[in-house]
Amino acid sequence: MPQQHTAGRWVRIILIGLAAGFLSGLFGVGGGILIVPALMLLVSFDPRIAAGTSLAAIVPMSMVGVISYAAGGYVDWAAAALLAVGAIVGAQVGSHLLSRLPRRALRWGFIAFLLVVIVSLFLVIPSREASIEFTVGSVIGLVVLGLVTGVLSGLLGIGGGAVVVPMLIVLFGASDLVAKGTSLLMMIPTALSGTIGNVLRKNVDLPAAAVLGVSACTTTALGAILAASITPQLANLLFAGFLAVVAAQLIVKAIRSPSS
């Protein structure tokens, strides 16, 4: 449900949106890994409202990011569609399993996955001319990747970009820019699907989501421009650092919530 926000709270919400938008454009992620804890810590949001509000804000943010990457030809529309099909189904599966599986074990499993991805980013340097080749195997692989991403999103509240971007680079041979643009496109229908469910369950502060989304849109393109201006090697290094921060945040959460 919407909360009554003071001027100071609105300023903090705007600043969160500006930071999340820049990270979204730079790394091809939704920004939820920053938005959710920031709303909880800085604006005293309930965790469920924070997650739902973040997901709603991701929609306009991702749209601007897609436009920015598409302008340079860095979006694989077919791959994004296959990922989205899997992710939409996976998100529903993850939501269904949320109350049935031990989240602590899942969280540590995801942390281990992120650590493997971080190492792989130092071993695989993408080519800016690389593209995804479509075979029967790669089509099935993209749907499965989307499915796994959706399940993790539903279970852990983690945005798809932290999984999709490195996997498109490492497993499917995409360039870092194509991986980021494609990841952002995949997030739009996925976030819309989740947001509809959250609105029905009254788990979204729509005014805050609108302010977050609009403020994020002003910096998303800047992040995308920076991503295109740096080398693939530096892009991988920065993304590995970002994932390390995500992993550290999850480790702290796992240690503080031993029973969840």
Side-chain angles (χ1 to χ4, degrees):
M1 295 291 290
Q3 302 183 37
Q4 296 297 320
H5 300 302
T6 63
R9 286 161 68 96
W10 281 121
V11 169
R12 290 193 289 273
I13 289 171
I14 291 171
L15 291 175
I16 293 169
L18 293 173
F22 182 76
L23 289 178
S24 177
L26 180 60
F27 295 124
V29 298
I33 198 68
L34 168 68
I35 294 175
V36 174
L39 287 177
M40 292 168 58
L41 293 173
L42 302 179
V43 200
S44 302
F45 267 50
D46 173 85
R48 290 173 300 174
I49 303 298
T53 302
S54 170
L55 197 62
I58 285 172
V59 177
M61 190 190 318
S62 296
M63 288 180 176
V64 173
V66 168
I67 292 171
S68 301
Y69 278 96
Y74 298 122
V75 176
D76 190 318
W77 302 86
L82 292 169
L83 288 165
V85 168
I88 291 172
V89 175
Q92 302 306 316
V93 174
S95 299
H96 178 70
L97 294 175
L98 184 58
S99 61
R100 300 172 182 268
L101 297 177
R103 296 188 71 189
R104 174 177 170 79
L106 290 165
R107 187 176 287 130
W108 281 111
F110 187 67
I111 290 169
F113 165 79
L114 286 180
L115 295 177
V116 172
V117 169
I118 290 169
V119 173
S120 70
L121 287 172
F122 287 97
L123 302 177
V124 179
I125 303 299
S127 167
R128 287 281 159 88
E129 286 71 41
S131 60
I132 300 172
E133 294 186 8
F134 288 95
T135 63
V136 173
S138 66
V139 167
I140 294 173
L142 287 167
V143 174
V144 171
L145 175 58
L147 183 68
V148 171
T149 301
V151 170
L152 287 173
S153 177
L155 285 171
L156 300 174
I158 300 298
V163 177
V164 171
V165 173
M167 289 298 96
L168 286 180
I169 294 172
V170 175
L171 298 182
F172 294 90
S175 77
D176 60 313
L177 296 180
V178 169
K180 293 170 184 177
T182 303
S183 170
L184 288 169
L185 179 57
M186 176 214 73
M187 287 180 200
I188 296 173
T190 308
L192 276 173
S193 174
T195 296
I196 292 171
N198 285 326
V199 169
L200 294 176
R201 297 182 183 90
K202 303 186 185 302
N203 283 336
V204 182
D205 185 328
L206 287 175
V211 172
L212 277 169
V214 171
S215 57
C217 286
T218 64
T219 55
T220 302
L222 294 176
I225 291 170
L226 178 59
S229 67
I230 61 179
T231 65
Q233 291 86 347
L234 180 56
N236 267 23
L237 181 62
L238 291 175
F239 193 66
F242 171 76
L243 292 182
V245 172
V246 173
Q249 184 183 102
L250 290 173
I251 289 171
V252 170
K253 187 180 295 185
I255 293 174
R256 289 180 175 175
S257 305
S259 61
S260 62

